[in-house]
Amino acid sequence: MNILIINSGSSSIKFQLIEMPSEALICSGLVERIGNKDAVLNYKTNATSLQQTAEIDNHKQGLLKIVELLLDPEKGVIKSTNEIEIVGHRVVHGGNSFSNTTLITAEVKQDIQKYAALAPLHNPGNLQGILVAEEFFPLAKQVAVFDTAFHQSIPEKAKKYAIPNNLYEEQGIQVYGFHGTSHQYVSEKAIDYLGLKTSKIISIHLGNGCSITAIVDGKSIDHSLGFTPSNGLIMGTRSGDIDHGIIYHLVDNLGYSVAEVKDLLTNKSGMLGLTGYNDLRDIEAEAEKGNKNCILALTMNAYRIKKYIGSYVAAMNGLDAIIFTAGIGENSSVIRQLVCMDMDYFGIDLDKAKNELKSKNLREINTATSKVKILVIPTNEELEIAKQAFQLLN
Ligand code: ADP
């Protein structure tokens, strides 16, 4: 069975065609800069790899380009759109309505629209992807996999904010959590790899967005992103944890509007605000040259992660493994070393040579005597979506 996975963002569509249950990747690609004259389309199969630049005004045109390529007599991989039996969509915010993967109905779309207020950068693009996929693949079953679903197991003591109860009960103000598909995928891989019946794991997803999850026996019990994807770790352009008193000071005394504060903390802060760069590769290169802001920002970034690890060890009363994943977690030996440094109290002992090895596979980078396993596990949100969509309908 062919499952097309669509991860539709505000200005991009990532896609993969996966054969299930074999999990074989048939093709993958990405349309970026939708809404621009020089939008870029990348497309890759076993036989072809291409990049095109074109004017792509909206998601419909973007998906049309993808469909044309999938059907192309030379470069394509299918003969008819009917060969796609399921389209699996990544949806960022499912609020409290969805703790599982769900077949998309008119009601589900209404809910995704409703939760756009809580994830304005993500849910509108996700919904667009669903609407155009329904048009192009009318016979396929459309399935939504929510980033928030994995975190529905977080208990009230961790998901409630200490604000008046009516805001929780009536307005749904609480921790929802994000990157759930990634945390679920890598933690299941870790549990399989370690062969543990009961497990206490910390999963650290470090990409443009960053988050950390405490996972007991495969279930999320606490997580750093909260009501919106803003809290917790220092991210590419987001501040993560800050004292909310700063917001009032910016507005009351420094002349910022609320929209400007939001822009500041979402798009101009984090590693970008600290260094002028948001790509960690640039920051590492600058730090190497002695750039003090970059050296400090790397240290701050790792320090924040360390503090979360400490609090989650306390929350779980133990730790079997920590997992590094996503662009930074999988590739930056520098961040991994800074995080694992001086953590012997917790039994975390990094093998420096193993940490430097490059690989696209799951790997263990702790010393032989480390009490806690340190794992690098490449995330694959698309495959997790395909697995969940396949399970739902079979
Ligand atoms: P997204 O959240 O957009 O899916 P990714 O998981 O692809 O992000 O991570 C993107 C980030 O990964 C980039 O900003 C970059 O800083 C970082 N990254 C990618 N490759 C490397 C590398 N070799 N070394 C250090 N950082 C890297």
Side-chain angles (χ1 to χ4, degrees), residues 57-197:
D57 292 333
N58 50 43
H59 286 76
K60 188 166 178 182
Q61 285 181 10
L63 195 59
L64 180 62
K65 289 262 174 219
I66 296 169
V67 172
E68 280 170 5
L69 272 171
L70 294 176
L71 292 169
D72 188 276
E74 276 173 35
K75 303 178 191 103
V77 286
I78 51 171
K79 296 208 161 46
S80 147
T81 51
N82 296 343
E83 288 175 39
I84 309 278
E85 285 162 81
I86 302 176
V87 183
H89 297 269
R90 177 198 182 198
V91 181
V92 167
H93 216 307
N96 273 330
S97 306
F98 305 101
S99 51
N100 282 309
T101 295
T102 305
L103 194 64
I104 296 173
T105 60
E107 262 182 0
V108 171
K109 283 184 277 184
Q110 272 171 16
D111 278 339
I112 295 171
Q113 176 64 45
K114 181 173 91 186
Y115 294 122
L118 306 184
L121 296 181
H122 296 101
N123 271 34
N126 302 156
L127 188 57
Q128 269 301 313
I130 293 170
L131 296 174
V132 291
E134 285 177 334
E135 233 177 278
F136 287 118
F137 303 101
L139 297 184
K141 297 214 164 54
Q142 310 280 334
V143 171
V145 178
F146 297 90
D147 275 25
T148 45
F150 182 58
H151 300 296
Q152 289 288 303
S153 48
I154 295 177
E156 272 193 328
K157 66 179 176 188
K159 80 174 176 195
K160 274 185 79 170
Y161 292 106
I163 56 176
N165 281 324
N166 68 309
L167 291 173
Y168 170 64
E169 285 152 11
E170 293 156 26
Q171 304 297 334
I173 298 182
Q174 60 165 80
V175 168
Y176 288 104
F178 299 87
H179 297 144
T181 352
S182 175
H183 289 295
Q184 184 170 6
Y185 178 80
V186 296
S187 58
E188 281 173 1
K189 284 260 172 208
I191 291 167
D192 268 4
Y193 172 77
L194 298 169
L196 294 172
K197 283 220 169 64

